Amino acid sequence: MDLLEYQVKEWFGKIGIPVLPSQRIDHPTDIKRLKIRYPIVLKSQVHAGEREKVGGVRMVETTIDAIAAAQTIFNLSIWGQLPEVLLAESKYDAHQEFYLAVVLDTAVCRPVLLGSTEADIDLELADQKMQYVVVEQEFSPFYARRLALKMGLQGTLMQSVSTVLEKMYQLFVQKDLDLVEINPLGVNLSGEVMALNGKVRVNERAIGRHPEIAAMAAKIVHHHYERSSNNGRLGDWNSVEKHGRIGILGNGTGSIMATYDLVVDGGGKPGICLNLRHATVTDSLPTTFCDRLAKGLNTLAADKNTQVILINLLGSIPQPEETAQAIVKFVQNNKGESPALVTTANGSKNRRQPQSPQLVIRLAGSELNAAKDILATLQTHDDGLILVEDLDSAVATAVRLTKAPAYKKVS
């Protein structure tokens, strides 16, 4: 989860990283109550790069110009995103611009400090111009000074940059982040440093440990749900919103993507897809796999488009017997919601779309045999649940069920 710049600057200021005087702008009329001196820079607050190139960053010197610029930026779509907030910030004259970052390197499972004396680096030349230091043991100021020295800095400037790196690392650890980036770090003629732009990426698996971040995440997800149902992505493949008939539950990104593709290839229409392996970004409290399964089943059942829930669990899951019991409970709670016969104008009878979707379940892995046994018993007594051995058959069954007469809309 990436934060917007104004949120990043708030975090920077609280932890002691130097930032310019700034003010959040929610409406162009807020400019009239501006508390910072002109000239100012207005910045569009969207999760998109290259704002300046497309007009999302403007320098203004008067209130009239600022209001006009704010109105323009609020209505400027950048990569399909309209800003809900602008950032008004004091103008800063930078003599030099550096790049600094603290990033989690998943290859070595350690934090890495990155730095360059050039802010805009061609990706092809990054290896030549970017310096790095791996934090191999408990962090100390030594690591920050070592990177500053590798960047070729000396004296007061070396100390200033080292101090900023220490604060960045402190924020990185405190908030369970994947990335803290300052690009650029401005340096004026007096040698003073200033974080002119920043980026923070929160580790989604750690959001539950930080209530204030969970609240921010919930707002972001709600905003994306309202604004972008047409593109359907609420958090990559951990939660995908579509309007198809087959809801998908899985226990891994790979299994979700594979199931999704097979449904499409088989002529079906995927609906909501949920990855049960991890908690969602809106879960502020710890959850178990069974909790997420129960919540996922209810979420899909509540969606009016979902006719079939396709569950594809691969490998191992915690407490497989309890997982099966969660499915049993869901089926039993929804038994009474069977399809009803209705008579059309021409006298023929059709079934209404079932209120409760049918379940098609595929469990792969010897550790899931206990769950299979429980569900096999239920399957013999209830036609709302179908247990299938392989994924191709499960997908074919789900697609066939959505095309069955019982699911066709009344004309």
Side-chain angles (χ1 to χ4, degrees):
M1 184 186 81
D2 290 345
L3 270 59
L4 293 169
E5 182 189 359
Y6 81 93
Q7 297 169 322
V8 174
K9 295 287 182 65
E10 289 176 359
W11 282 12
F12 281 0
K14 289 178 181 178
I15 207 161
I17 296 173
V19 291
L20 292 167
S22 63
Q23 191 170 325
R24 169 177 166 163
I25 305 297
D26 295 289
H27 189 273
T29 56
D30 292 347
I31 296 292
K32 297 178 181 179
R33 295 179 289 276
L34 203 62
K35 297 178 181 179
I36 55 180
R37 294 181 178 180
Y38 289 94
I40 64 168
V41 179
L42 292 174
K43 299 182 178 181
S44 177
Q45 297 299 285
V46 292
H47 293 102
E50 301 184 340
R51 293 175 300 173
E52 190 169 0
K53 292 182 180 179
V54 297
V57 178
R58 301 194 180 197
M59 196 273 287
V60 291
E61 298 188 358
T62 67
T63 300
I64 294 176
D65 290 342
I67 293 174
Q71 289 173 337
T72 300
I73 296 174
F74 268 117
N75 291 287
L76 177 66
S77 176
I78 302 177
W79 293 98
Q81 300 179 48
L82 282 172
E84 290 190 337
V85 177
L86 305 186
L87 179 66
E89 196 170 62
S90 297
K91 185 176 179 294
Y92 185 82
D93 293 320
H95 177 63
Q96 291 178 285
E97 292 186 345
F98 297 162
Y99 174 92
L100 297 177
V102 182
V103 62
L104 180 64
D105 189 332
T106 55
V108 297
C109 298
R110 299 299 302 171
V112 177
L113 308 182
L114 299 174
S116 172
T117 51
E118 294 183 30
D120 296 319
I121 301 177
D122 190 316
L123 291 178
E124 294 182 358
L125 302 176
D127 289 343
Q128 302 174 24
K129 297 187 177 182
M130 189 76 72
Q131 305 298 326
Y132 71 92
V133 172
V134 179
V135 182
E136 298 175 337
Q137 299 175 352
E138 184 177 353
F139 183 81
S140 72
F142 160 77
Y143 288 106
R145 289 196 297 270
R146 183 179 176 189
L147 179 65
L149 287 171
K150 291 182 73 172
M151 292 169 62
L153 306 181
Q154 298 178 353
T156 303
L157 185 57
M158 183 202 73
Q159 186 58 50
S160 298
V161 171
S162 299
T163 301
V164 170
L165 282 165
E166 291 175 40
K167 298 292 185 182
M168 291 171 68
Y169 190 87
Q170 185 180 346
L171 182 65
F172 179 84
V173 173
Q174 281 185 3
K175 303 291 188 180
D176 285 316
L177 306 178
D178 284 340
L179 170 70
V180 180
E181 179 183 86
I182 298 178
N183 185 23
L185 179 76
V187 184
N188 64 16
L189 289 172
S190 301
E192 297 171 330
V193 297
M194 187 69 63
L196 301 183
N197 195 2
K199 183 175 182 178
V200 162
R201 179 165 297 156
V202 180
N203 187 308
E204 291 186 0
R205 308 304 160 222
I207 288 176
R209 296 196 289 270
H210 304 277
E212 76 284 3
I213 301 178
M216 294 166 66
K219 289 180 181 179
I220 291 172
V221 170
H222 179 70
H223 170 69
H224 280 226
Y225 180 83
E226 288 185 335
R227 286 288 190 93
S228 60
S229 292
N230 55 342
N231 71 17
R233 302 183 74 84
L234 300 184
D236 297 323
W237 280 93
N238 289 321
S239 176
V240 180
E241 177 80 15
K242 295 287 183 183
H243 297 295
R245 299 176 178 180
I246 302 174
I248 300 172
L249 297 178
N251 62 331
T253 301
S255 65
I256 292 285
M257 294 177 68
T259 307
Y260 183 99
D261 290 340
L262 286 173
V263 168
V264 173
D265 291 342
K269 296 180 179 180
I272 297 173
C273 305
L274 299 175
N275 182 0
L276 305 177
R277 182 179 292 277
H278 305 292
T280 66
V281 295
T282 57
D283 289 323
S284 57
L285 297 175
T287 61
T288 66
F289 185 86
C290 290
D291 292 336
R292 297 191 290 273
L293 173 61
K295 182 178 178 180
L297 287 168
N298 290 325
T299 298
L300 297 186
D303 179 65
K304 63 182 180 180
N305 297 301
T306 304
Q307 297 175 350
V308 176
I309 297 176
L310 175 55
I311 302 176
N312 178 27
L313 303 181
L314 178 66
S316 62
I317 56 175
Q319 302 173 318
E321 294 89 347
E322 286 79 355
T323 296
Q325 292 297 339
I327 296 174
V328 170
K329 183 178 180 180
F330 171 80
V331 172
Q332 292 176 342
N333 288 344
N334 292 277
K335 262 187 178 180
E337 300 180 354
S338 58
L341 287 172
V342 296
T343 303
T344 61
N346 62 7
S348 62
K349 291 185 177 182
N350 287 314
R351 290 183 180 269
R352 293 186 190 275
Q353 182 174 325
Q355 296 296 314
S356 178
Q358 284 193 281
L359 269 62
V360 177
I361 303 172
R362 182 256 186 161
L363 306 178
S366 58
E367 295 184 26
L368 299 178
N369 288 337
K372 286 184 185 179
D373 294 339
I374 295 172
L375 295 176
T377 302
L378 180 64
Q379 180 182 221
T380 59
H381 297 90
D382 195 298
D383 60 0
L385 183 149
I386 301 174
L387 193 60
V388 183
E389 285 297 322
D390 62 87
L391 182 56
D392 288 336
S393 299
V395 170
T397 302
V399 173
R400 174 176 55 79
L401 287 171
T402 61
K403 296 181 178 180
Y407 286 98
K408 294 189 180 297
K409 293 184 178 179
V410 178
S411 57

